Amino acid sequence: MMAPLIAAAAAGAESAGEAATNTLLFEGAILLGVATFFVLLFRRLGLGAVLGYLIAGALVGPHGLALVGGAESKLAIAELGIAFLLFLVGLELHPRRLWQLRRAIFGLGMTQVVVTGLILSALLLWFQGFTLAAAIALGLPLALSSTAQILPGLKSSGRINSPFGERAFSILLFQDLAIVPMITIVAALSRAPADPNAPPGGMLALYTVGAIIGLVLAGRFILNPLLRLIGRYGERELFVVVGLLAVLASAALMHSLHLSTALGAFVAGVMLADSPYRHEIEADVEPFRLILLGLFFLAVGMVLDINVVLAEPLRVIGLAAALVAVKFAVLTLLAWWFSRSWKTALGLGLLLSQGGEFGFLLFTQAEQAMLIDAEAASLFSAVVTLSMVSTPFLMLFARNFEFARDRDAEDLDDPDTAPQGSALVIGYGRFGQTVAQMLHAVDCSVTLIDKKPSQIEQSGQFDTKVYYGDGLRLDLLRRAGADDARLIIYCIDDPSLDVEALRPIVHAFPQAKILVRVFDRRQLMAIDGAGIAGSVREVFESSILMGRLALEALDVDPREREDVEAALRQLDETRLAAQMEEGDMGAGKDHRFMPGGGREAASVLEGLRERRQMAKAAIRDEEAMQAADPKA
């Protein structure tokens, strides 16, 4: 009797599992296909990927064509994208960078968020009839700008390290940091029934402090030693595993304590910010962040109720215009107060006057906290979306102010005439150390990268920061600042480095001059055609110096030593040109000194001697003429 029932139950479970798998695959294919189309379309129109994801989600979601369901469950999973984003924000916060931008971040950035958020909250309270808690839950998120739209544009145009770009980056950075306290504020204002398993407020504060201290200690005494061990073995996939482990474990810890998962991921990033393995982890985690953040915006689009927007289109347009106008006015005044430059202030006001993608997250949290209803969440999500559409056009106007000179700066040199620049030195052994010291001597900012943990640890003993990573990876080079670098110098001892490895780097960073250390003339032939700016054979100059010392020890006449060196360089250059042209190491073999002379070498040396004798004779004749006629 029981056997048929068990068999039927098993068959039913198998059938349900198969149906769920089919649904998941079908919905996944639809989501990715529609998202790909709209992201490409919106990129083509210059409106950014975020809007493409939102429109795609709204189209296929339950309020659109209803091709995909379960928006809330997908949103819960996709919120991991926010955790990954805050992890990467934390990785950027190494102490030196924070100290350099401290006034812009904690002065202008903090003032902008607080003042703009309070003004917008007050306007919503007075003119839209929201309660105080609802106005705060809506006004604070509206003070944020779109990091996903602004930062890629600044980086791709090379303006991120300009004074204007640094101010914009500082404001966006503090806005990203402000997400965690905003989530906490929404949770504190929550009207939702309290979780019976959640600890009381005082205990929650202690949990927060204890969890942060625990994460910092774990990073110092567990993660960093683990990364050094992985670096010794050179297993790149383990860096991916450790990066994911850091994000998920910290988020899981915070979630188990009823705290913000975003806060946990952020702290995990901060505790690795000063690690020499930061660039490697950053490059490996970035693809997961992009995928999950894209899924987050898709899910936000799915829960967006288009009917609310269509019911009041004029209200949505009016609120979006008012949002841009208020933020522009507040940002411009605050930026002028801090910079005393109206052109910079107007540029920043235009650039950062749209709503930000984190508004969608905070509106969802406010709805879950029962501070606003679903209609208000959809309405203000549409307002933020419409304001983001204006970003490409506002950026065009902002550039006119960004590059316009102030009156008191007209007599200053352009940045192109400055002798300093930024450089990446790949390989910090004995060769790279000498090159880096010469760059430091002219105050050139240098980022050092090496993939030998022992070298990194040894350099750290001499207060030199060297980052771990493979300097031939494009993604790692970008994370290390190659998009803005003027020089990329390969000082690695790698005879296998060839044109196939270098050509993608040359094409990816056309603004940078690429210099390469090569092992011998064979490797010099192997990199021919890569498009690099220059190369140096690692022992050529030192061997010539040793040869000069040998001739000096034999008491060879100084002039003769100079002739021999000049002849050797000329012969080597001619022979190398022949070898590279013919692709044959045997080419030009006569262009070298050999036992008993060598015809080509002897003729070059004789020619140098004759030119030197002619020069000496000319000098004697000139001296004789001056002696004969002192007035001449």
Side-chain angles (χ1 to χ4, degrees):
M1 292 289 293
M2 293 297 295
L5 292 176
I6 294 174
E14 183 178 352
S15 176
E18 184 176 352
T21 301
N22 290 336
T23 301
L24 178 64
L25 293 175
F26 179 72
E27 290 184 347
I30 291 177
L31 278 174
L32 293 177
V34 175
T36 300
F37 172 78
F38 277 98
V39 169
L40 288 175
L41 175 63
F42 277 69
R43 283 282 193 186
R44 179 78 175 178
L45 297 174
L47 298 177
V50 173
L51 293 175
Y53 284 120
L54 290 171
I55 299 300
L59 181 65
V60 302
H63 301 291
L65 300 178
L67 298 176
V68 178
E72 287 76 11
S73 62
K74 291 180 175 60
L75 185 61
I77 298 173
E79 284 183 5
L80 280 174
I82 303 299
F84 275 92
L85 179 58
L86 286 176
F87 173 73
L88 294 176
V89 170
L91 279 177
E92 294 289 341
L93 296 181
H94 48 89
R96 184 180 61 183
R97 177 79 162 161
L98 279 177
W99 183 254
Q100 290 174 344
L101 300 177
R102 62 192 183 281
R103 186 172 182 268
I105 295 173
F106 300 104
L108 178 57
M110 183 171 65
T111 306
Q112 183 273 324
V113 170
V114 173
V115 173
T116 308
L118 291 177
I119 289 176
L120 289 171
S121 299
L123 292 174
L124 290 171
L125 179 66
W126 293 334
F127 295 105
Q128 292 295 313
F130 288 101
T131 64
L132 178 61
I136 292 174
L138 290 171
L140 291 180
L142 290 174
L144 305 178
S145 305
S146 178
T147 303
Q149 283 187 303
I150 302 302
L151 270 190
L154 291 175
K155 288 182 177 179
S156 62
S157 61
R159 295 138 59 206
I160 189 65
N161 288 327
S162 67
F164 180 91
E166 286 191 340
R167 286 192 181 95
F169 172 79
S170 300
I171 294 172
L172 292 172
L173 178 58
F174 189 86
Q175 290 180 357
D176 289 345
L177 296 178
I179 295 164
V180 174
M182 284 185 185
I183 292 174
T184 305
I185 291 172
V186 171
L189 296 173
S190 176
R191 297 172 182 164
D195 186 351
N197 298 319
M203 188 62 68
L204 203 62
L206 290 176
Y207 282 173
T208 302
V209 175
I212 291 174
I213 294 174
L215 287 174
V216 172
L217 292 175
R220 183 175 182 84
F221 296 107
I222 298 176
L223 273 183
N224 276 320
L226 181 60
L227 290 170
R228 283 196 295 271
L229 181 62
I230 293 171
R232 289 193 180 97
Y233 287 108
E235 298 289 343
R236 180 188 165 192
E237 64 273 12
L238 287 180
F239 280 105
V240 181
V241 174
V242 172
L244 295 177
L245 173 64
V247 178
L248 296 179
S250 57
L253 172 65
M254 291 300 203
H255 186 266
S256 67
L257 297 175
H258 301 274
L259 302 172
S260 167
T261 56
L263 175 61
F266 173 73
V267 174
V270 172
M271 69 188 183
L272 293 174
D274 207 34
S275 168
Y277 304 94
R278 176 171 69 90
H279 291 305
E280 182 78 18
I281 294 175
E282 205 171 2
D284 289 334
V285 170
E286 176 74 4
F288 296 94
R289 194 271 302 179
L290 292 171
I291 293 170
L292 289 170
L293 203 58
L295 181 58
F296 170 76
F297 292 128
L298 277 171
V300 168
M302 290 172 63
V303 300
L304 183 65
D305 191 349
I306 301 177
N307 296 322
V308 173
V309 180
L310 296 178
E312 299 179 287
L314 294 179
R315 185 185 181 193
V316 173
I317 295 173
L319 286 173
L323 173 65
V324 172
V326 170
K327 291 185 70 175
F328 168 72
V330 174
L331 264 165
T332 300
L333 290 174
L334 290 176
W336 175 82
W337 179 263
F338 279 86
S339 68
R340 298 295 175 178
S341 168
W342 277 113
K343 292 172 182 176
T344 298
L346 288 169
L348 287 172
L350 288 168
L351 188 68
L352 302 173
S353 57
Q354 75 290 116
E357 56 274 359
F358 282 116
F360 306 126
L361 169 67
L362 292 163
F363 296 153
T364 303
Q365 300 243 336
E367 182 185 351
Q368 293 171 351
M370 301 180 68
L371 297 174
I372 59 175
D373 56 23
E375 289 188 1
S378 293
L379 173 66
F380 282 94
S381 293
V383 169
V384 170
T385 301
L386 192 58
S387 72
M388 292 170 71
V389 174
S390 68
T391 301
F393 309 104
L394 295 174
M395 289 180 75
L396 292 176
F397 289 110
R399 294 197 71 169
N400 294 328
F401 295 104
E402 175 185 351
F403 295 112
R405 287 190 171 201
D406 291 327
R407 184 174 301 172
D408 57 357
E410 291 178 353
D411 297 330
L412 300 178
D413 291 333
D414 288 325
D416 291 340
T417 64
Q420 296 89 354
S422 58
L424 271 65
V425 173
I426 316 299
Y428 196 64
R430 53 188 178 173
F431 195 100
Q433 290 171 21
T434 302
V435 173
Q437 286 187 56
M438 296 184 72
L439 294 173
H440 288 313
V442 294
D443 294 328
C444 176
S445 59
V446 181
T447 299
L448 305 171
I449 299 174
D450 203 300
K451 61 179 181 180
K452 294 180 181 178
S454 58
Q455 183 64 57
I456 295 172
E457 293 170 17
Q458 185 178 7
S459 301
Q461 296 173 4
F462 294 90
D463 299 324
T464 300
K465 188 68 174 179
V466 182
Y467 292 98
Y468 176 87
D470 181 358
L472 296 175
R473 288 177 53 189
L474 294 179
D475 55 348
L476 186 138
L477 288 173
R478 286 195 174 93
R479 306 303 296 184
D483 286 317
D484 306 311
R486 293 176 62 185
L487 283 173
I488 302 176
I489 308 173
Y490 284 91
C491 303
I492 54 178
D493 183 11
D494 184 5
S496 65
L497 187 64
D498 58 14
V499 66
E500 297 301 325
L502 290 172
R503 187 175 289 151
I505 298 170
V506 173
H507 290 166
F509 311 111
Q511 87 293 342
K513 294 181 180 178
I514 297 177
L515 307 176
V516 180
R517 164 195 180 181
V518 297
F519 182 72
D520 56 14
R521 63 179 63 240
R522 288 186 179 87
Q523 188 175 12
L524 203 57
M525 293 167 62
I527 66 172
D528 183 36
I532 62 174
S535 59
V536 173
R537 280 177 282 168
E538 58 185 34
V539 297
F540 183 66
E541 294 296 333
S542 58
S543 60
I544 286 181
L545 181 58
M546 178 64 79
R548 286 176 61 95
L549 291 174
L551 295 179
E552 184 179 354
L554 293 174
D555 295 325
V556 176
D557 184 77
R559 296 186 181 88
E560 182 74 6
R561 296 201 300 264
E562 293 175 3
D563 289 342
V564 170
E565 180 184 347
L568 179 64
R569 290 183 182 278
Q570 183 176 333
L571 288 166
D572 182 79
E573 183 178 350
T574 305
R575 182 185 174 198
L576 185 60
Q579 289 172 331
M580 297 181 72
E581 183 178 354
E582 299 180 21
D584 181 10
M585 284 292 294
K589 61 182 180 181
D590 293 333
H591 291 77
R592 60 194 178 100
F593 289 112
M594 294 179 290
R599 186 174 60 187
E600 294 293 340
S603 64
V604 171
L605 185 57
E606 187 60 33
L608 288 171
R609 288 171 178 164
E610 289 179 358
R611 284 198 292 273
R612 180 162 53 80
Q613 294 297 332
M614 291 173 63
K616 288 173 63 177
I619 292 173
R620 286 197 301 268
D621 292 344
E622 185 177 353
E623 289 175 349
M625 290 176 62
Q626 289 180 352
D629 186 4
K631 296 180 181 180

